[in-house]
Amino acid sequence: MAAYLVFPPVARLRGEAVVPASKSATNRALLLAAVSRDPVLVENPLDSFDLEAMARALAAMGATISQEAGGWRVAGPLRASAGGEVSLDVAESGTAARFLAALASVVPGRWRIDGAPRMRERPMAELIEALRGGGARIECLGEDGYLPISIEGATLTAETVEIDASRSSQFASALLLAGAARGGGLEVRLRAGIVSAPYVATTLAMLEAFGHSVRRDPAWRVSPGTASPRRYRVPGDWSSALPLLAAAGVAGGVVALRGLEPASPDADALAARELPRMGVDLEISPDRVVARRAAAGLRHTEIDAGSFPDAVPALAALAAGAPGASRFTGIAHLRWKESDRIAGLCDLLAAAGAGTEAGPGESELTVVGEAAAPALRRLPTRGDHRLVMAAALLALARPGCLVENPDAVGKSYPAFFRDLAGLCVWRQ
C-alpha cells in the first residue's frame, strides 16, 4: 500500500542546509578501500539504502567494515569464505550490481549476484559481454544479460577489455575499478559511445586519490598502486543538492547549501550550471552555493542532459513552473534507471497539470509549464527516489498535492524531506 506526504502551503524558501555525502563517491570509496593494501578510514560516508547494500556485499566478499567516529574503517583482503557460492544481494542498487560484477571476476571464489525485482530488468548485457570477452566465466541464471548471475572469480585474464558504455557509464567505471584489484591492472577501451561521461571522470580521479596509476589516452589504463591513503573524505553530493537549489526557483526565496566542492567533476555539478538559464540565479563560492529565483522569473529552455541524467527529474519539475516549452535531449538512458524515468516523469508531470511529450525513441522530453495550481492530486513516483524529489518540488507550488512513496528518498538522501521542510517558510 502506497504512503503519501503532503506539504502545508509554502510562502517561500529561506535558510541554509548541509548537503549529504555523495552516493557515487561513497560507493567508489568503499570498493577502493576494500581492495587497498592497508585499512582506509572513509570519512563522511553517505548512510543510505544503496550504501548499506554495497557495504553488506563487500563484507560478504571478505572486507571488514566498522564504524568509527567520523566514518567507516574498511579493510581487506577480499576472498571467498570456505566452501560454496557466496551470495551478494545488491537490493535496488544498480551501482553495486555493475561494480561488484566486475570486481567478482578478479577476486577468487564463486559469486552469485542478485537483487530486487527491478534489478532483474536493468541492463547488464554490455558489461557481461565485456567481462566474458576478457575470459571471465559468467552464467546468467535467468534471462541472458540480466541478473541473477553466477561468476567464477579470478577468471578475467585479458589485459585489455572493450566495453559499450552507450547505455550506462557504470559499465566503464566497473571495469576501471576492477583494474585496481587485478594483478597487472587493466586497460579499458570504448567500443561505442559513452553516456554520463563525468561519472567516469569521477572514477578516474578517485582511483588516483587511492594511489593507483591512471592513463587516460589513447585508452584508459589502471595500474594498481603500492600504497593506499590512510583516510579519504567523501565530498558533498551535487545530485542531492540540485533539488534543493531548484526548489528556490519553484517556491521563491533564498537557499544556501554547504558541503559542496565548486570544482567537482560530479555530473550534477554541471547540471547546476544550467539553473541560471532556467531562471535560478546561483552564487558559487568555496564554502557555499546560494540559489534564488531570478527577478524575471523562470524561463523555458533546451538542455542536452546526456551527461547528467539524474538531474533531469528535478530540472523537469522546475520547468513545469516556467511559461512555454522546455526540452531535455540525450536522455534515452533514463529508461533503465530505478524506474523508466521518462515514462515516470510523463505520468508525474501530467498529474501535476503540466504538459509532456516524449520525443523520438524516447531520447528527449518536452515539458510545457502551467501557471494555475491544480486541485488536490496524487503525484505518482513509482517508488523512485529521484521522482519523489521531483514530486516534492511540484508539491511546493501546488498546495494539497500528495507525494507518493516519500520513503524512497532513503536510497540516496534519507534526510531530504527534513532538510527541505527546514528551508520552508510556511504561509500563515
Side-chain angles (χ1 to χ4, degrees):
M1 181 176 179
Y4 293 91
L5 179 147
V6 62
F7 281 98
V10 176
R12 63 188 181 282
L13 268 60
R14 182 182 65 205
E16 185 174 88
V18 179
V19 299
S22 167
K23 181 164 78 80
S24 297
T26 305
N27 269 311
R28 288 160 173 78
L30 288 179
L31 189 153
L32 287 168
V35 302
S36 292
R37 291 176 178 264
D38 302 304
V40 178
L41 178 62
V42 179
E43 298 178 317
N44 188 44
L46 177 67
D47 188 1
S48 73
F49 298 160
D50 270 15
L51 272 304
E52 289 172 3
M54 175 65 92
R56 283 195 306 269
L58 288 171
M61 296 183 78
T64 300
I65 302 176
S66 57
Q67 288 193 348
E68 294 188 8
W72 298 336
R73 186 167 296 280
V74 184
L78 299 184
R79 71 244 179 242
S81 58
E85 188 174 67
V86 177
S87 292
L88 307 177
D89 180 4
V90 300
E92 296 184 348
S93 175
T95 304
R98 280 76 178 259
F99 288 6
L100 294 173
L103 181 64
S105 73
V106 302
V107 175
R110 187 164 186 85
W111 316 99
R112 184 183 191 275
I113 302 177
D114 200 1
R118 173 61 180 171
M119 284 308 309
R120 294 187 174 193
E121 301 173 354
R122 297 185 67 180
M124 295 278 290
E126 293 91 336
L127 179 58
I128 292 170
E129 178 186 0
L131 292 169
R132 284 172 171 166
R137 293 198 286 273
I138 302 177
E139 178 185 2
C140 293
L141 305 177
E143 184 178 353
D144 194 44
Y146 295 88
L147 296 183
I149 58 176
S150 179
I151 302 175
E152 185 66 39
T155 55
L156 182 66
T157 57
E159 294 288 333
T160 300
V161 176
E162 292 188 347
I163 186 69
D164 175 354
S166 59
R167 284 205 291 180
S168 176
S169 65
Q170 289 179 353
F171 300 154
S173 286
L175 294 171
L176 292 167
L177 293 168
R182 180 183 179 277
L186 191 66
E187 182 173 279
V188 179
R189 294 181 175 272
L190 284 178
R191 181 181 301 167
I194 186 168
V195 295
S196 308
Y199 286 102
V200 177
T202 294
T203 301
L204 295 171
M206 289 190 62
L207 281 161
E208 291 176 324
F210 274 80
H212 305 289
S213 176
V214 173
R215 188 189 72 196
R216 290 170 169 77
D217 188 63
W220 296 311
R221 179 168 184 82
V222 178
S223 299
T226 57
S228 54
R230 296 296 181 182
R231 58 185 66 225
Y232 175 83
R233 184 169 183 82
V234 179
D237 195 352
W238 280 93
S239 299
S240 295
L242 195 75
L244 297 181
L245 297 173
V250 172
V254 181
V255 170
L257 301 181
R258 292 186 288 113
L260 295 166
E261 293 184 357
S264 169
D266 192 307
D268 288 333
L270 299 178
R273 285 154 175 79
E274 299 289 341
L275 290 174
R277 295 176 53 205
M278 301 183 73
V280 180
D281 294 334
L282 292 184
E283 298 174 15
I284 301 177
S285 63
D287 63 335
R288 64 180 191 164
V289 177
V290 179
R292 55 171 54 84
R293 187 163 60 197
L298 299 181
R299 299 185 291 271
H300 66 273
T301 189
E302 181 172 324
I303 295 174
D304 180 352
S307 294
F308 41 82
D310 286 345
V312 172
L315 295 179
L318 181 63
S326 295
R327 191 159 70 106
F328 301 90
T329 62
I331 62 170
H333 47 311
L334 282 179
R335 288 177 288 168
W336 302 299
K337 296 289 185 175
E338 283 82 346
S339 68
D340 179 340
R341 285 187 183 156
I342 296 177
L345 274 171
C346 287
D347 291 344
L348 171 60
L349 292 164
T356 62
E357 181 182 355
E362 291 192 324
S363 62
E364 61 184 57
L365 176 69
T366 299
V367 180
V368 181
E370 56 92 30
L376 178 65
R377 293 182 180 176
R378 295 182 178 182
L379 302 180
T381 63
R382 302 191 176 200
D384 185 323
H385 60 135
R386 302 294 179 197
L387 295 185
V388 171
M389 294 179 200
L393 300 189
L394 293 166
L396 289 177
R398 295 158 177 81
C401 279
L402 303 175
V403 178
E404 182 186 66
N405 294 321
D407 288 347
V409 296
K411 183 176 176 68
S412 60
Y413 190 172
F416 172 74
F417 283 104
R418 182 200 67 190
D419 289 350
L420 180 58
L423 296 169
C424 290
V425 177
W426 310 110
R427 292 182 192 170
Q428 299 300 317

